[in-house]
Amino acid sequence: MKIGVLAAQGAFVEHIDMLRQLKVDTLPVRLPRELAGLDGLIIPGGESTSISKLMLTYNLMTEVKNLAQSGLPIFGTCAGMILLAIQILDSDVAPLGVMEITVSRNAFGRQRESFETELSIPVLGEKPFPAVFIRAPVIKQVNGKAEILAKLADGTAVAARQGKLLVSAFHPELTSDLRFHRYFLDIVSGSRESGG
Amino acid sequence: MGTGTWKVKTGLAQMLKGGVIMDVVSVEHAKIAQEAGACAVMALERVPADIRAAGGVARMADPTVIEAIMKAVSIPVMAKCRIGHFVEAQALEALGVDFIDESEVLTPADESHHVWKHDFKVPFVCGCRDLGEALRRIGEGAAMIRTKGEAGSGNIVEAVRHMRAVTDSIRKLANTPQGELMAQAKEMRAPFELVAEVHKAGKLPVVNFAAGGVATPADAALMMQLGADGVFVGSGIFKSSNPEVRAKAIVEATTHFQDPKIIAEVSKNLGEAMPGLDMKQIPTEELLASRGW
């Protein structure tokens, strides 16, 4: 199994480290040719405007969109979630538009509102997940085939799945908890056909 | 639910990695920076080259400028306070800036003490010339480190010196026997716990950017190849003849820092870079990097 991590900008090294801990072959992706032969792709946290502009300039937008539509499993965290959405509220960032969710950027406010909390994510088991939200987005609306995997206490949706696409508004890669990445690898290997 | 935790502070710095943080003095600049792909902007009244030229006492920017820039862009906004001026830092935190740079570019307010940064919920970045200085700042609560370089000089030589000093010391520390760590801590005047942490991990506990003299895409890629996690560009963009094009080129060179073909490509037709200064042209007492300890 080989998983690429988009390395345009952001916390991609953290994802690569986690995948290595899970004994998975991994490589950073900065150019379209580096997408060849991948079994899955992670789009990391970072600045979504910065990442999307670099993806556009180097022809990654169309390539990644085509791969997503032809069934490549993709996991997006924070900025990655924003880029996978079909709609971003109050923003001129052009997303990949492959996952049927509507997201809002910087939904909690600025950095002083960034926070960490223990989150219940039923598909990962009973033990709460340490969730770090940094100038985080939220899922405002789930349309069609996407299903919500986790909510904050006030009901705000912060993780979702649609087939082989997985997103979180928080950063599993900033913790030592490997469960979210393992769940993605299960999607890649086909052992998790649906949520649950 | 915890806000302002160490994880949340260092986490934002991690999200900035692989990116370019650009000095801006107006809403117009900030929009150009965002459009070029900057991962954050530093809101200022004057870029370092102009501060250097103006002389006198340089202070925190007018909050009006900072707020206007915060409204104009969606990327993180940083702002500078003077070394040791914890009240400027309190004011910047109250404004809601995303990161505070306790910066030698401004005139120091305290010659003995830097800001005790653990008291703040907003993260701080601080400059350093070597590993000891980096660890002293981290000990005070800095969630991100950058080289000092020599701001406003358009000359990369000092940033290279400082980055090499930090990475050389980390390499040496990683190979230092446990029993010699205390003497190392004494020699570099750094907190023992952080010296021991670097020894064990073989890297800094926080993100380390390059700053102070970056003027071209090749400068940015040089710092990345020397081990920087990302790049600050101060005067280098808006003191050049074509800021829009140069800003985008530096962003691309920072991402593709290991790809000489791309660096060559983005270096074409950028117009004039900012005027540079040889270090020998700068009188010792005017060197910004020697401010702070």
Side-chain angles (χ1 to χ4, degrees):
Chain A
M1 188 190 289
K2 193 163 86 173
I3 307 289
V5 181
L6 189 77
Q9 188 272 327
F12 51 86
V13 174
E14 287 77 354
H15 281 291
I16 289 172
D17 287 347
M18 286 203 121
L19 291 170
R20 287 200 176 128
Q21 285 180 57
L22 290 164
K23 314 280 183 228
V24 174
D25 275 347
T26 174
L27 82 165
V29 173
R30 296 180 175 89
L31 294 168
R33 63 168 184 262
E34 292 159 339
L35 292 164
L38 293 182
D39 299 300
L41 179 71
I42 293 181
I43 306 180
E47 274 308 310
S48 51
T49 50
S50 190
I51 296 172
S52 69
K53 284 174 198 302
L54 284 155
M55 287 181 79
L56 273 175
T57 307
Y58 288 87
N59 300 319
L60 280 162
M61 273 295 181
T62 320
E63 296 282 334
V64 173
K65 184 170 182 161
N66 289 343
L67 287 171
Q69 283 169 343
S70 63
L72 182 76
I74 305 181
F75 176 21
T77 60
C78 195
M81 173 174 110
I82 294 169
L83 291 171
L84 287 168
I86 51 162
Q87 195 190 0
I88 310 171
L89 300 175
D90 307 320
S91 171
D92 53 6
V93 174
L96 289 159
V98 291
M99 189 159 172
E100 295 183 19
I101 53 172
T102 300
V103 302
S104 170
R105 293 175 70 208
N106 302 337
F108 300 92
R110 307 195 71 94
Q111 171 62 10
R112 65 182 170 194
E113 279 81 44
S114 292
F115 63 97
E116 49 182 317
T117 188
E118 297 280 305
L119 192 64
S120 163
I121 308 178
V123 295
L124 300 184
E126 272 184 28
K127 195 177 146 214
F129 194 87
V132 187
F133 291 82
I134 308 225
R135 288 173 45 95
V138 298
I139 302 165
K140 282 284 184 192
Q141 205 183 318
V142 175
N143 327 332
K145 288 170 281 183
E147 58 176 319
I148 293 167
L149 297 183
K151 287 179 180 175
L152 292 172
D154 66 1
T156 306
V158 291
R161 174 177 175 185
Q162 175 187 312
K164 292 184 173 177
L165 305 174
L166 181 67
V167 292
S168 68
F170 49 92
H171 296 282
E173 75 280 12
L174 294 185
T175 72
S176 54
D177 196 321
L178 294 165
R179 284 179 293 162
F180 220 105
H181 285 75
R182 204 174 279 132
Y183 182 76
F184 176 61
L185 296 181
D186 287 346
I187 292 175
V188 174
S189 67
S191 60
R192 291 261 195 174
E193 284 305 329
S194 64
Chain B
M1 205 153 86
T3 56
T5 60
W6 183 245
K7 175 75 88 186
V8 159
K9 289 176 174 180
T10 52
L12 178 57
Q14 285 172 276
M15 294 309 135
L16 299 173
K17 287 196 298 181
V20 181
I21 301 167
M22 301 182 191
D23 277 5
V24 297
V25 300
S26 64
V27 165
E28 186 204 349
H29 280 186
K31 285 182 174 166
I32 291 171
Q34 178 166 274
E35 188 55 36
C39 66
V41 291
M42 178 78 68
L44 296 165
E45 262 180 30
R46 284 195 279 234
V47 295
D50 290 337
I51 291 174
R52 185 182 286 288
V57 174
R59 311 177 181 89
M60 174 184 88
D62 183 331
T64 321
V65 176
I66 299 169
E67 278 186 329
I69 290 169
M70 285 164 61
K71 283 204 187 85
V73 293
S74 63
I75 57 180
V77 176
M78 302 184 164
K80 288 184 194 290
C81 75
R82 284 179 260 178
I83 288 173
H85 206 315
F86 52 87
V87 174
E88 283 187 350
Q90 289 164 2
L92 291 174
E93 181 171 61
L95 288 174
V97 302
D98 298 293
F99 235 106
I100 297 175
D101 183 3
E102 186 185 17
S103 177
E104 69 282 1
V105 168
L106 305 182
T107 311
D110 191 324
E111 293 183 337
S112 305
H113 307 285
H114 285 247
V115 173
W116 184 250
K117 292 164 275 284
H118 289 294
D119 282 348
F120 291 78
K121 285 204 160 186
V122 62
F124 279 73
V125 55
C126 289
C128 75
R129 285 161 294 179
D130 54 38
L131 183 59
E133 193 171 14
L135 296 182
R136 289 193 290 280
R137 298 292 84 78
I138 297 166
E140 292 159 355
M144 178 176 178
I145 288 295
R146 56 172 174 77
T147 60
K148 283 183 170 173
E150 187 58 28
S153 71
N155 189 338
I156 198 68
V157 68
E158 293 301 302
V160 168
R161 188 193 317 282
H162 300 157
M163 187 57 72
R164 282 198 186 275
V166 170
T167 48
D168 287 353
S169 297
I170 292 173
R171 262 198 303 273
K172 282 180 193 139
L173 210 48
N175 292 313
T176 300
Q178 186 79 32
E180 295 176 16
L181 292 180
M182 187 59 84
Q184 278 297 315
K186 178 189 168 210
E187 193 175 308
M188 61 173 85
R189 299 183 296 142
F192 174 76
E193 291 71 20
L194 291 173
V195 169
E197 198 177 330
V198 172
H199 163 74
K200 200 172 161 201
K203 57 178 189 167
L204 279 177
V206 302
V207 165
N208 182 21
F209 268 47
V214 176
T216 68
D219 286 348
L222 172 67
M223 298 313 299
M224 293 297 287
Q225 288 200 26
L226 287 173
D229 291 315
V231 177
F232 282 88
V233 187
S235 320
I237 289 169
F238 291 101
K239 283 285 158 190
S240 75
S241 65
N242 194 344
E244 286 89 345
V245 177
R246 183 168 294 267
K248 188 161 182 282
I250 292 177
V251 167
E252 290 175 32
T254 302
T255 292
H256 298 282
F257 68 95
Q258 289 163 312
D259 194 327
K261 278 187 188 157
I262 291 181
I263 293 162
E265 196 55 40
V266 301
S267 299
K268 290 176 182 168
N269 300 314
L270 297 182
E272 283 289 311
M274 71 175 286
L277 291 170
D278 191 302
M279 287 308 130
K280 294 187 200 83
Q281 289 172 264
I282 308 174
T284 316
E285 67 275 12
E286 288 178 20
L287 285 173
L288 301 176
S290 55
R291 294 167 164 183
W293 54 276

